[in-house]
Amino acid sequence: MSGDRPLPGGEPVPEEADEAAFRETPDTCGAYPRLTEDQIARLAEHGQRRSMAPNDVLIQEGERCETFFVVLSGTVAVVEGYGTPEEHVLRVHGPGRFIGELGLLHGQVAFYTAVAREPGEVLVVSLDQLRHLVSQDSAIGDLVLRACLGRRALLVGQGVGFRVIGSRYSPDTRRLREFAIRNRLPHRWIDLETDEEAEDLLRRFGVGPEETPLVIWRDTTLLRNPSNAELARLIGLPSLPPGNRHGDVLIVGSGPAGLAAAVYAASEGLSTTVVEAMATGGQAATSSRIENLLGFPAGISGAELTERAVLQADKFGARISIPLEATGLHPKDEDHYVVGFADGSEIAARAVVLATGARYRRLQVPGIERLEGTGVHYSATVYEAQQCRTDPVAVVGGGNSAGQAVLFLAGYAPKVHLLVRGPSLEANMSRYLIDQVERHPRVEVMLHTEVTEVIGQEVLEEIDVLDNRSGGHRRLAVRGLFVFTGADPHTEWLAGIIALGSRGFVLTGPEAQEACAYPEMWHGRGRSCMTLETSLPGVFAAGDVRSGSVKRVASAAGEGAMAIHFVHRHLGHSAAPGTTGTSAPAGGSDVSPRIRHKESAWLA
């Protein structure tokens, strides 16, 4: 190549920059693996070859991702702002690499444009074919999934995606940022209070500060204080198709318990719907690394575990909708329940599994509220960690979640203070975590310590901590405070509907039947309340939301699977699974052809 080429805005590009646009991005973090010849041959069985010329657009920013491309020859650039004065190359891929990131697996819109830089050839595989192959071929599946997760994290770190303009003091700004962070959506927050870019953007779009928060997408779409659902539809998060409001089992919540229930229910032929108010994965998805989960000796991040489970549930035909917040539950007839949602919609099902989990308890100390979402966090993911590369941080809590957060943050921050109210870590933290925390050179464990005040106006500056033995106070200069101090269940919407324990967790089994306000509901059923069944027959609870549950990922997943075993037993007392309970047509069967007539044999 010689000479300069013009940019879309008309300015020439220096020759050395032009050459850089063709240079392949090195794979320094495992996000850009090169497929082997055997893997490409396997993919070729499901795709078609296609030639490409320079400037051919393969994926368009803002459009739904529906195709998986493998570069066979030539180079493809991944570009943000293609065709605008702000155009810049994020990365370049050569032969053997594939194009796509996490949104590809879920049918989300693309956060970039993929454009051919040199003539060559690509292998084109449809999204359905890719999903099938990922679920059937573990080697390709692991490679693609981990690369997609890594690329999503890189996009987040580069500030790619939509922009959120709003004040750090605005509850709606915090709501939108939390929704984007929990759903791992690439975005950039522009603080109305401190960022000079905010004023320029408001002037360009002709809106005033009182109309914020705003979501701006590709400089062509502007949403004024959108709901979470509006943002989800813009990006392409999954939702239920119109009219899809009836099924065998409705699962409320998509943490490990809910996703495990979805996998087992759908794989055994039940018509399965999962609804989630915030983001798939629940609290587990915010864990940087889970090392004590059976089958993962090297550990696994909560995000990767979640994505694997979502793909697995999708493979078996479970339908997932985000965000859909449950607000009520009541019997429809003898064989059905109806769950109502905040948007006014309803879903009817023959059985309901409550897997709404629990949320970390907010710390109640002076000065904390105005800094929540900026300097104070209730999860520790790459989004928050990137803000702590140069400054000390503090973690509050003595359980496994706190320990995992400490080790993760210690990879970013120069110093991590672990503040524990009790006399030791042994009471609530696993031994393997204690050993790592105590040996880490960047971690200081402070026992008998409580936070009494958060100090800072625009950013977190210090925290005041109390030694609860001596009564002495000291100040810690930190720029991030991460809180993991126990959890409260998501059961406000169930009060007065099913039996709850003194702390709000759902009672199940004999305790639930004993506390049932309507004992007549059990008369004539010929059975007592099953182990995971609530005080309403056919409504089950699994995972952290259940009173007496073990607060571990493996336990939650196990309870999700067990809940479906009990769902089968419940449905066996009424109509066959897959039906509405009505009579079969003459000479036919009222059983759906999808249904396999079995219970979970391994649990029988």
Side-chain angles (χ1 to χ4, degrees):
M1 299 292 295
S2 63
D4 293 349
R5 67 177 176 86
L7 274 172
E11 293 296 324
V13 177
E15 181 178 352
E16 59 271 20
D18 189 50
E19 291 177 355
F22 291 85
R23 194 177 304 129
E24 187 176 56
T25 306
D27 184 16
T28 57
C29 56
Y32 315 132
R34 201 176 308 279
L35 298 168
T36 66
E37 291 184 3
D38 288 343
Q39 289 170 333
I40 292 175
R42 179 86 171 94
L43 285 161
E45 296 174 3
H46 301 267
Q48 296 180 333
R49 291 174 176 266
R50 192 175 94 188
S51 62
M52 61 178 183
N55 298 319
D56 278 354
V57 173
L58 306 181
I59 297 174
Q60 180 68 56
E61 184 177 348
E63 295 183 2
R64 193 175 296 273
C65 300
E66 296 179 341
T67 308
F68 180 74
F69 295 96
V70 178
V71 182
L72 302 177
S73 62
T75 57
V76 175
V78 173
V79 181
E80 185 184 26
Y82 182 67
T84 72
E86 288 79 28
E87 174 183 336
H88 65 280
V89 175
L90 300 172
R91 59 194 63 96
V92 178
H93 296 301
R97 290 192 180 176
F98 61 86
I99 312 301
E101 55 92 44
L102 194 59
L104 175 74
L105 301 177
H106 299 312
Q108 296 175 10
V109 299
F111 293 95
Y112 53 82
T113 295
V115 58
R117 287 305 194 207
E118 293 178 309
E121 189 177 33
V122 291
L123 180 65
V124 182
V125 182
S126 73
L127 182 55
D128 288 340
Q129 291 168 327
L130 175 66
R131 284 175 171 166
H132 174 75
L133 192 60
V134 164
S135 66
Q136 299 297 322
D137 189 315
S138 60
I140 292 179
D142 287 350
L143 185 76
V144 170
L145 180 58
R146 288 183 178 177
C148 287
L149 284 165
R151 293 177 184 189
R152 175 56 65 92
L154 289 170
L155 288 177
V156 169
Q158 292 170 313
V160 174
F162 59 89
R163 287 170 286 185
V164 178
I165 304 176
S167 168
R168 66 181 60 200
Y169 306 117
S170 163
D172 281 317
T173 299
R174 290 200 294 266
R175 169 182 58 80
L176 289 169
R177 294 190 65 222
E178 181 182 10
F179 183 75
I181 290 169
R182 291 287 301 276
N183 283 284
R184 302 172 287 284
L185 300 177
H187 70 286
R188 182 158 60 93
W189 171 47
I190 301 172
D191 189 357
L192 192 64
E193 308 296 333
T194 60
D195 201 318
E196 294 180 0
E197 186 183 357
E199 185 176 347
D200 293 338
L201 286 169
L202 293 181
R203 189 182 303 112
R204 183 194 308 178
F205 284 93
V207 296
E210 69 281 358
E211 297 180 77
T212 60
L214 306 175
V215 169
I216 299 176
W217 175 231
R218 302 176 62 219
D219 282 343
T220 60
T221 302
L222 183 145
L223 301 178
R224 290 174 169 84
N225 193 14
S227 66
N228 290 352
E230 288 173 320
L231 179 56
R233 300 295 84 82
L234 176 71
I235 301 304
L237 294 182
S239 61
L240 298 181
N244 195 349
R245 298 287 168 172
H246 189 281
D248 291 318
V249 58
L250 172 64
I251 301 165
V252 185
S254 67
L259 289 174
V263 167
Y264 281 91
S267 67
E268 294 172 6
L270 296 175
S271 172
T272 305
T273 300
V274 183
V275 294
E276 170 59 55
M278 178 59 72
T280 54
Q283 294 290 353
T286 68
S287 296
S288 55
R289 181 148 298 270
I290 305 168
E291 295 190 66
N292 61 346
L293 183 59
L294 183 67
F296 295 93
I300 185 171
S301 72
E304 183 175 350
L305 181 66
T306 296
E307 296 304 333
R308 288 178 179 274
V310 169
L311 289 172
Q312 202 171 7
D314 180 74
K315 177 181 77 170
F316 291 120
R319 300 176 298 272
I320 301 178
S321 181
I322 305 171
L324 207 52
E325 181 182 0
T327 56
L329 166 69
H330 65 271
K332 178 182 178 182
D333 52 42
E334 189 174 327
D335 294 316
H336 294 82
Y337 286 97
V338 170
V339 175
F341 300 95
D343 65 357
S345 64
E346 294 183 336
I347 296 178
R350 303 174 65 235
V352 176
V353 176
L354 303 173
T356 50
R359 59 178 172 267
Y360 287 116
R361 197 169 295 133
R362 279 178 148 69
L363 195 61
Q364 302 295 327
V365 297
I368 196 169
E369 185 175 353
R370 66 174 175 272
L371 294 174
E372 289 181 327
T374 54
V376 178
H377 309 281
Y378 295 89
S379 62
T381 69
V382 66
Y383 296 84
E384 295 89 8
Q386 285 170 346
Q387 303 175 29
C388 308
R389 290 188 179 275
T390 60
D391 299 298
V393 300
V395 175
V396 181
N400 278 3
S401 295
Q404 290 163 350
V406 163
L407 295 173
F408 175 66
L409 292 167
Y412 290 82
K415 182 77 172 181
V416 180
H417 304 275
L418 176 58
L419 313 181
V420 182
R421 182 173 56 182
S424 72
L425 296 177
E426 280 79 3
N428 297 298
M429 191 179 294
S430 297
R431 186 72 247 175
Y432 82 96
L433 278 174
I434 295 174
D435 292 340
Q436 293 182 60
V437 166
E438 291 181 338
R439 289 198 305 262
H440 202 291
R442 296 185 182 180
V443 175
E444 178 187 5
V445 179
M446 302 175 62
L447 303 176
H448 298 284
T449 303
E450 302 178 37
V451 177
T452 58
E453 185 180 4
V454 173
I455 302 158
Q457 290 298 319
E458 295 184 350
V459 297
L460 177 62
E461 298 172 1
E462 293 180 311
I463 56 174
D464 186 273
V465 298
L466 166 73
D467 184 322
N468 57 29
R469 295 168 300 179
S470 66
H473 287 259
R474 65 178 283 197
R475 294 280 181 94
L476 296 178
V478 296
R479 292 296 179 269
L481 178 64
F482 296 80
V483 182
F484 303 91
T485 55
D488 294 317
H490 286 289
T491 56
E492 301 88 347
W493 63 286
L494 295 168
I497 300 172
I498 61 174
L500 304 177
S502 58
R503 296 177 56 201
F505 292 89
V506 178
L507 297 177
T508 56
E511 283 185 303
Q513 188 166 355
E514 183 178 342
C516 180
Y518 309 99
E520 63 274 8
M521 295 189 69
W522 292 94
H523 296 162
R525 288 186 175 270
R527 64 175 179 84
S528 58
C529 185
M530 291 182 279
T531 305
L532 298 183
E533 199 165 22
T534 71
S535 57
L536 289 179
V539 178
F540 303 85
D544 288 0
V545 75
R546 190 180 69 84
S547 177
S549 67
V550 178
K551 304 301 188 281
R552 293 289 187 270
V553 171
S555 176
E559 288 193 10
M562 289 176 62
I564 300 308
H565 168 74
F566 295 124
V567 166
H568 279 296
R569 288 180 58 182
H570 167 73
L571 296 180
H573 286 80
S574 56
T579 71
T580 61
T582 56
S583 301
S589 170
D590 63 352
V591 180
S592 166
R594 294 179 59 230
I595 297 303
R596 304 174 202 140
H597 292 282
K598 66 174 183 179
E599 292 189 1
S600 304
W602 59 278
L603 281 172

